[in-house]
Amino acid sequence: MIVLLAAGACNKHTGNKSKILQSQETVVMVSEMIHTASLIHDDVIDGANTRRGKVSVNTKFGEKMSVLAADYILSCASKTLAQLGNAEVVKLLAKVVDDLIKGEFMQLGSKENPDERFNHYLEKTYKKTASLVACCCRAVVDDILDFIATDKEMGKPTATDLQLGLATAPVLFACEQFPELNALIMRRFKGPNDVEEARQAVHKSDGIARSYTLASQYTKEAVKQIHKLSASPERDALISITHKVLERRK
């Protein structure tokens, strides 16, 4: 949806009043395929049982079949992309895939130096969200909701980041008030009471509020960039979606 709206907004900005071009529809389709494949891979890596309230692919078909399915989707996306014959678009989307994978690798590790750790988190988030500022906002909000939303609201298990050993924005901000969290982060919350201790520290700190501030900054920057486009229903829809991301509860 976002890519489709962006295409429409760009068309209006450049004076092209016609409908979405076939080549643009292809890019939209390829983008969705890459996104879908990344979600399947994510669920396999995280061992997720559900995705948006439904049984996850890996739970229904097993990890091996899921990995192969996601790889096949990526191969189909690559083939479709190559048929466009646009080297610049191929280069751009290839970088998106490259960033997604690098982001996953970065998520597996952390930095010992607390000052470097937050930059590591931001870079990982940027890469995992296809290098889009607006999507970074969504990712940070996801990290917040993992602490404050219910399973029913999210349509998937919550409070899972800590169990997976991930130190997200709320935890990293909480570290400034509770330095003892640094040791838990470095052992990826594998101690007997680490997950619960970290969860309580986050709720006692201003970590969630500061995370919302961070997400808001991403939102403002995204809206600022979108406003550079000429006024159009598509541009306004992009702005509306960006604001709604910050307000969502699922």
Side-chain angles (χ1 to χ4, degrees):
M1 175 63 75
I2 292 177
V3 181
L4 193 62
L5 288 172
C10 288
N11 285 352
K12 299 291 176 59
H13 181 73
T14 58
N16 180 4
K17 304 297 183 181
S18 63
K19 62 180 182 179
I20 302 297
L21 303 175
Q22 180 63 49
S23 58
Q24 291 175 319
E25 290 182 353
T26 300
V27 171
V28 170
M29 179 175 64
V30 169
S31 299
E32 285 299 319
M33 293 169 76
I34 293 172
H35 179 59
T36 299
S38 73
L39 292 180
I40 296 174
H41 281 149
D42 261 351
D43 285 346
V44 171
I45 292 171
D46 296 345
N49 295 319
T50 58
R51 165 68 63 176
R52 299 303 176 201
K54 298 182 179 179
V55 177
S56 62
V57 174
N58 51 296
T59 298
K60 188 170 184 177
F61 298 104
E63 290 188 357
K64 291 182 180 179
M65 185 68 76
S66 299
V67 170
L68 289 173
D71 290 348
Y72 179 69
I73 293 172
L74 283 176
S75 70
C76 290
S78 299
K79 180 180 178 181
T80 303
L81 188 58
Q83 291 172 346
L84 270 180
N86 188 317
E88 191 63 29
V89 173
V90 171
K91 182 179 179 181
L92 177 63
L93 287 179
K95 185 180 185 304
V96 166
V97 175
D98 182 66
D99 280 347
L100 282 170
I101 296 170
K102 287 179 178 176
E104 286 291 351
F105 274 117
M106 291 181 70
Q107 184 166 278
L108 295 176
S110 185
K111 295 289 185 180
E112 289 191 24
N113 188 329
D115 294 331
E116 296 178 356
R117 195 177 293 145
F118 201 82
N119 288 332
H120 180 87
Y121 165 78
L122 292 178
E123 184 180 356
K124 178 270 298 180
T125 300
Y126 184 69
K127 289 182 181 297
K128 281 198 65 179
T129 52
S131 309
L132 294 173
V133 175
C135 291
C136 286
C137 169
R138 181 182 179 88
V140 175
V141 173
D142 262 343
D143 293 341
I144 296 169
L145 294 179
D146 196 57
F147 282 94
I148 66 173
T150 64
D151 292 3
K152 185 177 181 180
E153 286 176 318
M154 292 293 286
K156 63 178 181 179
T158 54
T160 57
D161 286 339
L162 292 174
Q163 295 173 34
L164 292 169
L166 305 179
T168 55
V171 178
L172 296 176
F173 281 128
C175 272
E176 296 180 21
Q177 293 171 267
F178 298 94
E180 59 269 25
L181 287 176
N182 285 307
L184 279 63
I185 290 173
M186 292 313 300
R187 61 175 179 254
R188 297 182 70 83
F189 310 105
K190 297 302 182 184
N193 300 310
D194 284 2
V195 169
E196 182 58 23
E197 184 179 337
R199 189 188 67 79
Q200 290 184 14
V202 167
H203 284 286
K204 290 177 182 177
S205 73
D206 60 2
I208 290 174
R210 292 179 67 185
S211 296
Y212 267 122
T213 299
L214 175 64
S216 179
Q217 290 171 350
Y218 279 125
T219 298
K220 290 177 182 177
E221 180 59 29
V223 171
K224 177 182 175 182
Q225 297 302 320
I226 296 171
H227 265 299
K228 292 180 179 180
L229 297 171
S230 302
S232 69
E234 292 86 353
R235 187 202 70 171
D236 293 343
L238 285 171
I239 292 172
S240 177
I241 289 174
T242 303
H243 284 302
K244 286 180 180 178
V245 166
L246 192 61
E247 301 165 358
R248 71 189 182 89
R249 289 285 301 186
K250 61 181 180 179

